[in-house]
Amino acid sequence: METIVRFFSLQDPNVRYVVLGMLLLSVSTAVIGTFSLLRKKALAGDAVSHAVLPGVCLSFLISGQKEIWSLMAGAFVSGLLSLWCVQYISKHSKLKEDASIGIVLSVFFGLGVVLLTFIQHQGNASQSGLDAFLFGKAAVLMPSDVWVMSIVAVVMLFMVYAFYKEFTLFSFDPGFAQSIGLPVQRLEYILTALMVMSIVMGIQTVGVVLMSAMLITPAAIARFWTNQLFRMLILSVVFSMIASVAGAYISFLAPNMPTGPWIVVVLSGMALLSFLVAPQRGIVWKWWQARILKRKTAEENVLKAMYQLGEKENSFQETYTLEDIFSRRAYATVYTSRILQRLHHQGYVIWEQGEAQLTAEGIRKGSLITRRHRLWETYLTQVVNIAPDHVHDDAESMEHLITEELEKKLLEQLKDPSLDPHQSEIPPIN
Amino acid sequence: MITHVENPVVEVHDLTVSYHKKPVLWGVDFTLPQGALVGILGPNGAGKSTLIKTIMGLIPHSSGFSKLFGKELSEVRNRVSYVPQRESVDWDFPASAYDVVLMGRYGKLGLFNRPRKADKEMAMNCLEKVGMADFAHRQIAQLSGGQQQRVFLARALAQDADLYFMDEPFAGVDASTEAILMDILKSMVTRGKTVAVVHHDLQSVKEYFSWVLLLNMRLVASGKTEEVFQEELLQRTFGGKLTLLSKMSELVHKNEFPVRES
């Protein structure tokens, strides 16, 4: 409890720097990551984040100290170099882009680890903490780092603000963008440079191994929740902020815990949750929709069965027992009494003491389903030329899906038919 | 059989184009008159899309030149509109139909400027013209193929250009949508615009187009539909590739040989 207060009250200046740094990082990576995701450059981001390691190590070897600007410059150069290698290989060899990304990523990262091991065995005192570059350590953030991060974040946000419409169009339809005279080559360079910059910014706190998750996952989560680019940008910033502050907090609680992996764990949790419950795209949502449809289908089937019983007796005022209803249906179900109860509440049926009777609304609905069923059968036989004995099953499910508009079109095209292919009367609209 | 015209809107001269180091168009030479509704016809792999992409500067060419309104493309970009193939973009992009149509105004806006009220009204108008006003705020992935194609046409209309190049605007479109699109193209042409369309269906050519380009790696014919759209020329266009020309292309590709010495 005490640590929660200490962390979130931001009284401790160290904590302040860490939180501020993580927030700045979140904004930059989430914004540029959204464009990387939309441009399908997620893998390239992964390559870059691994490939900055040798750059960091080399610049430390040259300068002999852990100075943020030179480390970032080294990281930036080797990140860009890796992308250039990816392009060169996929252009001038038989390898496709995914293969060349795999090669470049592992070669650069391997080289980086070799250099890092070499540095650690050198016995240079100032190297301590350099290994945090692998998995990140938010606690290492110094005021000077945070200054650098805020400059980068401001540059990043300004660029995205200034080129918002160009970036959007270029990401969606590069061919069209070029045709109206946008400098697509330059936009590509700018977006790539910004991506590398945001990755470089996060290597201290998140680490090179998992930095690409910071870039891509928030945007991927945001995509679950919105269909609008601007909202997607805002949401991915928010998700990224939550995850990175949570990651920093956990590594603050347990100083041996690296920050990067925890951020990724939190992000992945949010991604999983979105995958489950997001509206329209989440599987819970889809399951719920399917359930609603299934219920509706079952209810309509009962109404149809009762209507067709009435048809046989030329009177829709009769009452029926469960057995009567079962006799008209292909399958009997124990749920039928529950369905009748629901229909009773909806006002389609009067269901009392084991006997059911259609109300006026119920008759109307029953005839509607029957009409759509028989119209579809007629359509399939007359227009699609399917044999009459093959159309029933199809109509059984289509009757629940046909909309008013489609029904109108069917009636129009079939010229208000009175009989279906099985010589049953098609109930008219009343 | 190539008919040339005075004061052409499009002039293509000795255009040779390679794609992935393989020549796909050889020495193409034609002119198009203003107000023509042009059908660009040819079998698969004939270089139809390549031709309009090259004219739009999306693909570099090995030789020759193309001029629009007698000028370089860069001088007249605002008067030219390009409609890419529908499959060339990812329709799962987080944008609405309206957002996409508004992109048609970006060329006139310049850097830093946001769309103004007039641009937004224009975008809405264009959606109305293609009968998509009710779908303006639908996410584009939720639209049918024909509706997506209509959104692309609306974006082109929003550009308010004088010359349009369209890459298979009728692909994956049902008959009624095709009729709607065709009406719009015809009304554009009567207002003096020039429209060139990559097209597949030979049945409808006579009814749709006033001018026809027959293409199969080289230009077979260019001229008024009634003069060009005839058995013998069609046979030459669609009756198999020129084996020697294809073989040469393969050779150039294999040896990474520059198609023009430079």
Side-chain angles (χ1 to χ4, degrees):
Chain A
M1 188 60 210
E2 198 191 319
T3 49
I4 297 184
V5 173
R6 224 181 99 211
F7 186 83
F8 286 102
S9 65
L10 303 179
Q11 282 161 352
D12 188 337
N14 273 331
V15 173
R16 259 201 312 264
Y17 286 125
V18 168
V19 170
L20 187 60
M22 293 317 280
L23 291 180
L24 287 168
L25 176 67
S26 303
V27 176
S28 320
T29 50
V31 166
I32 205 68
T34 301
F35 286 104
S36 300
L37 180 83
L38 292 174
R39 292 172 59 230
K40 311 201 181 337
K41 297 285 179 194
L43 265 182
D46 200 23
V48 171
S49 73
H50 281 80
V52 297
L53 189 59
V56 171
C57 294
L58 276 178
S59 83
F60 176 80
L61 279 175
I62 293 166
S63 68
Q65 52 186 332
K66 248 177 58 202
E67 198 265 318
I68 176 83
W69 281 110
S70 63
L71 293 187
M72 281 182 86
F76 191 77
V77 170
S78 78
L80 277 187
L81 185 69
S82 72
L83 281 182
W84 181 81
C85 289
V86 168
Q87 260 189 7
Y88 188 87
I89 293 174
S90 41
K91 206 170 170 186
H92 294 279
S93 77
K94 281 210 177 301
L95 294 176
K96 301 280 177 278
E97 197 182 352
D98 59 333
S100 39
I101 284 178
I103 292 168
V104 168
L105 182 153
S106 39
V107 168
F108 273 70
F109 187 62
L111 187 66
V113 173
V114 168
L115 286 171
L116 190 63
T117 320
F118 175 71
I119 292 170
Q120 280 168 334
H121 288 181
Q122 232 186 2
N124 183 339
S126 59
Q127 62 89 14
S128 71
L130 208 58
D131 54 338
F133 280 98
L134 278 181
F135 292 110
K137 195 155 217 165
V140 301
L141 278 186
M142 309 293 252
S144 60
D145 301 336
V146 176
W147 269 112
V148 173
M149 290 170 111
S150 40
I151 293 170
V152 175
V154 166
V155 170
M156 190 89 62
L157 286 182
F158 173 77
M159 294 299 268
V160 171
Y161 173 77
F163 296 114
Y164 182 72
K165 75 180 192 306
E166 285 77 17
F167 285 169
T168 308
L169 177 52
F170 175 59
S171 306
F172 172 60
D173 191 347
F176 181 77
Q178 194 177 354
S179 83
I180 65 169
L182 287 191
V184 287
Q185 197 65 53
R186 242 174 292 164
L187 286 175
E188 168 95 53
Y189 289 146
I190 294 173
L191 275 170
T192 306
L194 290 179
M195 182 179 84
V196 176
M197 217 154 90
S198 74
I199 289 172
V200 169
M201 192 175 152
I203 51 175
Q204 266 183 303
T205 50
V206 183
V208 299
V209 178
L210 296 167
M211 193 50 213
S212 68
M214 272 291 272
L215 198 65
I216 299 305
T217 320
I221 302 171
R223 188 67 188 88
F224 270 107
W225 296 92
T226 179
N227 278 328
Q228 227 207 327
L229 179 58
F230 188 71
R231 281 190 206 144
M232 185 177 164
L233 283 166
I234 301 289
L235 280 179
S236 69
V237 167
V238 171
F239 291 139
S240 174
M241 281 179 164
I242 294 172
S244 58
V245 172
Y249 173 66
I250 293 168
S251 76
F252 173 77
L253 280 186
N256 283 329
M257 286 284 191
T259 314
W262 273 108
I263 293 179
V264 173
V265 167
V266 176
L267 275 176
S268 309
M270 297 201 294
L272 185 67
L273 198 71
S274 307
F275 180 67
L276 289 175
V277 301
Q280 282 165 36
R281 289 166 183 254
I283 53 177
V284 172
W285 173 280
K286 283 185 187 153
W287 171 81
W288 185 249
Q289 290 299 318
R291 195 181 130 93
I292 290 175
L293 192 68
K294 212 171 148 189
R295 267 190 174 204
K296 180 176 158 254
T297 307
E299 288 164 11
E300 290 180 353
N301 278 338
V302 170
L303 286 177
K304 187 181 65 170
M306 289 175 68
Y307 179 85
Q308 290 179 359
L309 282 170
E311 259 184 339
K312 245 184 7 198
E313 290 159 39
N314 253 322
S315 154
F316 299 105
Q317 313 301 329
E318 308 289 317
T319 57
Y320 304 107
T321 62
L322 277 179
E323 283 71 40
D324 297 332
I325 294 170
F326 288 157
S327 73
R328 279 300 306 178
R329 299 193 53 188
Y331 52 94
T333 146
V334 289
Y335 299 118
T336 306
S337 65
R338 223 187 283 166
I339 295 170
L340 280 165
Q341 235 160 37
R342 284 208 300 269
L343 288 169
H344 181 90
H345 284 299
Q346 293 163 14
Y348 290 118
V349 162
I350 298 165
W351 169 241
E352 276 165 354
Q353 283 133 27
E355 300 218 314
Q357 186 188 17
L358 286 172
T359 64
E361 243 338 86
I363 298 170
R364 204 192 57 78
K365 183 94 181 185
S367 84
L368 176 115
I369 302 298
T370 309
R371 177 170 61 250
R372 287 180 182 174
H373 178 102
R374 292 177 184 164
L375 273 176
W376 189 247
E377 287 187 335
T378 314
Y379 175 78
L380 285 184
T381 44
Q382 287 190 5
V383 183
V384 192
N385 269 326
I386 295 179
D389 55 335
H390 286 183
V391 295
H392 176 76
D393 291 343
D394 197 55
E396 271 297 298
S397 43
M398 292 311 137
E399 65 192 15
H400 308 289
L401 287 178
I402 291 173
T403 58
E404 213 179 311
E405 191 196 345
L406 275 172
E407 182 184 350
K408 231 194 249 164
K409 280 196 177 158
L410 281 170
L411 283 167
E412 228 168 75
Q413 191 174 355
L414 301 169
K415 299 191 183 69
D416 293 308
S418 54
L419 292 177
D420 78 356
H422 312 108
Q423 307 309 314
S424 307
E425 196 200 336
I426 297 177
I429 299 177
N430 42 32
Chain B
M1 211 209 93
I2 293 159
T3 313
H4 284 286
V5 295
E6 297 285 315
N7 297 321
V9 171
V10 179
E11 179 191 1
V12 168
H13 183 80
D14 188 26
L15 199 68
T16 296
V17 186
S18 304
Y19 204 59
H20 295 307
K21 292 186 180 157
K22 189 172 168 182
V24 282
L25 280 176
W26 300 78
V28 172
D29 223 278
F30 66 88
T31 47
L32 296 178
Q34 196 215 336
L37 186 42
V38 184
I40 304 175
L41 310 173
N44 284 332
K48 305 183 293 288
S49 297
T50 306
L51 176 65
I52 63 176
K53 280 186 189 157
T54 311
I55 296 174
M56 289 309 295
L58 306 181
I59 301 177
H61 50 269
S62 314
S63 81
F65 64 82
S66 64
K67 283 196 166 168
L68 309 175
F69 307 103
K71 293 181 175 148
E72 292 295 322
L73 171 68
S74 55
E75 295 172 75
V76 290
R77 253 188 222 284
N78 269 337
R79 299 179 64 191
V80 190
S81 161
Y82 166 64
V83 180
Q85 278 181 30
R86 185 166 60 88
E87 292 85 40
S88 68
V89 306
D90 177 9
W91 289 89
D92 205 27
F93 196 86
S96 65
Y98 168 80
D99 293 336
V100 173
V101 177
L102 198 56
M103 288 174 185
R105 303 299 302 159
Y106 286 7
K108 301 237 186 329
L109 280 176
L111 288 182
F112 300 109
N113 293 323
R114 306 271 138 150
R116 292 159 302 223
K117 197 162 166 253
D119 298 311
K120 294 176 179 173
E121 281 170 7
M122 175 108 181
M124 215 47 216
N125 269 339
C126 294
L127 271 170
E128 231 157 77
K129 272 184 210 157
V130 300
M132 288 288 294
D134 292 342
F135 298 89
H137 300 290
R138 252 330 147 79
Q139 206 265 322
I140 48 175
Q142 295 163 2
L143 302 175
S144 72
Q147 290 172 328
Q148 291 173 345
Q149 205 65 264
R150 284 198 251 172
V151 169
F152 260 11
L153 179 60
R155 180 175 71 176
L157 292 176
Q159 288 181 270
D160 194 21
D162 296 316
L163 170 61
Y164 293 81
F165 290 101
M166 306 189 177
D167 206 342
E168 306 214 25
F170 303 132
V173 158
D174 62 68
S176 67
T177 305
E178 183 165 329
I180 295 170
L181 294 179
M182 206 52 220
D183 278 345
I184 295 168
L185 299 193
K186 282 192 169 150
S187 81
M188 286 159 72
V189 171
T190 51
R191 280 181 287 128
K193 318 264 182 192
T194 311
V195 181
V197 176
V198 172
H199 193 58
H200 255 130
D201 176 25
L202 291 182
Q203 302 285 333
S204 48
V205 170
K206 276 192 177 156
E207 183 195 333
Y208 285 1
F209 303 112
S210 65
W211 194 277
V212 162
L213 285 185
L214 293 177
L215 204 66
N216 190 353
M217 296 187 73
R218 80 290 182 199
L219 189 67
V220 176
S222 161
K224 290 189 176 141
T225 307
E226 58 270 22
E227 289 162 17
V228 168
F229 196 70
Q230 36 139 313
E231 190 59 40
E232 193 225 325
L233 289 171
L234 286 173
Q235 186 58 40
R236 268 168 56 193
T237 313
F238 288 88
K241 289 193 172 172
L242 293 186
T243 24
L244 254 170
L245 200 59
S246 309
K247 278 230 169 93
M248 250 352 262
S249 279
E250 287 297 335
L251 266 183
V252 170
H253 181 53
K254 245 195 223 153
N255 298 313
E256 302 202 358
F257 189 82
V259 71
R260 286 287 181 278
E261 295 177 32
S262 52

